Amino acid sequence: MMMSQSSGRRGVAWAIIGGIVLLAGVVAIIVSAVLARPTPTPSATSRGTASADPTTSAEPDPDADGAVVDPTAADRGWTPEPITTDADTYIRAALEAASTFDTTKSTREEWLDYLDTWFTPDTRFTSEADQLAAMTDSQTELRQGVVLPQDEWDSLAGEDGRVVAGVTSDITDVPATDDESGDMSIGTADVTLSFTRSDGSGGETSYGDHVRVSVQVLCGMASVPTPDTDQRSGDCKVVRYFTEPLEP
Amino acid sequence: MGAPVIAATALSTRTGRKILIGATLVFLLGTGFILMPLIAIPFAISGASATANQPVSNTELPSVSGEWGYPLAGDYAKGRGFGYHPVEGCSYCKSDHRGYDMDQPCGATVFAAGPGRVTVAGAYFDYGNAVVIDHGGGLITIYGHMQWESLRVGVGDEVSAGTPLGAEGSTGRSSGCHLHFEVRDSGVRIDPEPFMANLGLPLK
């Protein structure tokens, strides 16, 4: 009888010990899992970088009457093409258009297709075929040697980025060579590019770049307007963007 | 009414008490066994996902010379160097590169190059997720484009050569994983190559 009681107590004691070990194991697993979680580090704290850009979309350049070819362009983050015969006004808008976009509102190809509508054939060539070929070459040059490359676009798009370009200097305007009409000119100016992108913590960070760029425009009766718009022959159009600034 | 009476009756006998204690223990052990996965698995998943963005484990430490060392451990490929390096095919891109690009696989650990205090840890202009270290005497170093949520230091931390800062990434103005290593002396960007070479740490 004494043996039976002693054996029973031992059994209960072992059962209690087993239970405690099991509970300790559960607690140890929970504690180790909690400790394995990394301590959050501070982020986005530097020098007011996590601020929203006040210029969140491209705005039409204030022209004399403000007429633009496609008023909806600004809604897509693009610079609207002004309807004007004033070379200076048009050059300013054209230089800004080549680096004003919003990767959340359009693809790079959609933006470039839109920029194609700014072009007009190069009237320095005599045949219509050569004029169109020159325009196609200029549009290819725009994609391959002027605007932000695809990989940089993709990088920006990965962080919901956008860019607004603004001309910050006077336009240096020179006549185009071999242009008998005198309606063609090359404008060069300093352009500030305001980049805005997400900062990884729900905010935005902005920064600026400065470039000097050139564009050749035609403001004369030979210009071909964008079809089905208020633009007319004689209004300014783009002939070519250059891969480097052309100074006089 | 029946259950308390039965329980009281059972507790009044030795055998009854043993049976109740045994049953209670079996119940507790069984409950613990069944509930353990419900508690452990969520914590394990949480821990695993939270550590997913941590730098790739780097058993190798960067070479040091005195108080300074390389910002990456082991071999690396050289990217754009300091100075005039125009972006191919982009007249709207800056032609001036302000630092020295070092390429290792995405997630490689980035280390502090020298002793100092962290003044920036997070989004920093076009550097993306970056760390800036003030080494005193007007000298600062910048480590750009690290992965979001990978930083291991915060503003105000004191660091030394070899302190892990974060994981190599492609945040900010970057089109592929690399470390943008930049050195400024009294606010002026200087070429990291001669700077590091003078410290006995020549770059490629």
Side-chain angles (χ1 to χ4, degrees):
Chain A
M1 190 67 180
M2 287 295 285
M3 285 283 286
S4 173
Q5 278 185 3
S6 171
S7 172
R9 287 200 188 97
R10 272 205 299 275
V12 171
W14 279 115
I16 291 171
I17 290 168
I20 291 170
V21 168
L22 180 64
L23 285 174
V26 171
V27 170
I29 289 170
I30 293 170
V31 168
S32 66
V34 168
L35 291 179
R37 301 172 76 181
T39 307
T41 55
S43 63
T45 54
S46 60
R47 303 181 193 176
T49 57
S51 61
D53 183 8
T55 41
T56 54
S57 65
E59 294 297 330
D61 216 355
D63 198 2
D65 56 4
V68 295
V69 174
D70 178 6
T72 68
D75 297 335
R76 306 197 68 184
W78 302 333
T79 300
E81 182 183 5
I83 298 175
T84 180
T85 55
D86 180 65
D88 207 67
T89 299
Y90 192 83
I91 287 170
R92 187 174 295 272
L95 290 176
E96 293 173 350
S99 194
T100 297
F101 54 83
D102 187 333
T103 63
T104 66
K105 294 179 177 175
S106 74
T107 65
R108 181 173 182 268
E109 202 49 47
E110 288 171 339
W111 172 59
L112 289 169
D113 287 346
Y114 165 70
L115 288 181
D116 283 346
T117 67
W118 288 54
F119 281 76
T120 190
D122 189 340
T123 52
R124 291 173 300 175
F125 294 91
T126 50
S127 79
E128 187 177 337
D130 287 345
Q131 289 180 4
L132 289 173
M135 186 175 80
T136 302
D137 288 346
S138 295
Q139 290 169 339
T140 301
E141 188 177 43
L142 172 75
R143 287 161 169 75
Q144 298 179 350
V146 177
V147 300
L148 204 68
Q150 184 70 55
D151 57 354
E152 294 240 10
W153 175 286
D154 292 341
S155 164
L156 198 59
E159 295 174 350
D160 296 334
R162 60 183 181 272
V163 184
V164 176
V167 171
T168 55
S169 72
D170 292 336
I171 306 288
T172 303
D173 198 355
V174 296
T177 54
D178 302 327
D179 172 42
E180 295 176 355
S181 70
D183 294 334
M184 216 178 270
S185 60
I186 297 170
T188 302
D190 295 330
V191 175
T192 296
L193 312 176
S194 300
F195 289 78
T196 302
R197 58 202 310 161
S198 63
D199 66 0
S201 60
E204 288 186 332
T205 183
S206 299
Y207 55 91
D209 269 355
H210 307 280
V211 294
R212 189 162 177 81
V213 282
S214 299
V215 65
Q216 183 173 330
V217 300
L218 171 61
C219 301
M221 288 312 294
S223 70
V224 177
T226 302
D228 305 321
T229 69
D230 292 339
Q231 200 171 44
R232 298 286 175 264
S233 294
D235 288 334
C236 297
K237 297 293 285 183
V238 169
V239 175
R240 180 186 179 189
Y241 285 97
F242 293 90
T243 56
E244 55 188 27
L246 296 189
E247 302 290 357
Chain B
M1 279 300 283
V5 171
I6 292 169
T9 307
L11 284 171
S12 66
T13 66
R14 194 169 295 152
T15 306
R17 282 197 295 273
K18 284 180 185 175
I19 290 170
L20 275 175
I21 291 170
T24 305
L25 287 173
V26 166
F27 174 76
L28 288 174
L29 287 171
T31 305
F33 187 75
I34 291 167
L35 292 181
M36 185 173 64
L38 298 177
I39 299 168
I41 289 173
F43 273 109
I45 292 171
S46 167
S49 64
T51 54
N53 285 329
Q54 293 303 297
V56 168
S57 169
N58 226 342
T59 52
E60 197 176 2
L61 288 172
S63 301
V64 296
S65 173
E67 290 189 323
W68 286 76
Y70 289 108
L72 292 176
D75 196 21
Y76 62 89
K78 178 183 176 181
R80 293 170 79 197
F82 181 82
Y84 181 73
H85 287 275
V87 175
E88 192 79 17
C90 179
S91 62
Y92 273 81
C93 298
K94 279 188 309 187
S95 56
D96 198 34
H97 189 232
R98 303 166 295 187
Y100 180 92
D101 288 349
M102 307 169 75
D103 300 357
Q104 276 190 344
C106 298
T109 302
V110 175
F111 300 91
R117 188 174 60 85
V118 174
T119 57
V120 173
Y124 190 59
F125 303 108
D126 50 345
Y127 299 86
N129 198 24
V131 168
V132 178
I133 299 175
D134 184 349
H135 302 282
L139 186 67
I140 68 166
T141 52
I142 300 175
Y143 310 79
H145 307 313
M146 285 188 277
Q147 293 178 5
W148 296 121
E149 299 178 12
S150 76
L151 299 190
R152 298 190 191 182
V153 294
V155 174
D157 286 357
E158 296 289 338
V159 297
S160 57
T163 299
L165 302 178
E168 187 183 299
S170 184
T171 57
R173 193 163 191 176
S174 164
S175 55
C177 279
H178 72 278
L179 166 67
H180 174 94
F181 178 56
E182 186 171 318
V183 183
R184 294 185 193 175
D185 189 2
S186 301
V188 178
R189 297 180 179 95
I190 62 173
D191 189 346
E193 288 192 68
F195 172 78
M196 293 296 279
N198 286 337
L199 294 167
L201 298 162
L203 299 171
K204 287 185 177 180

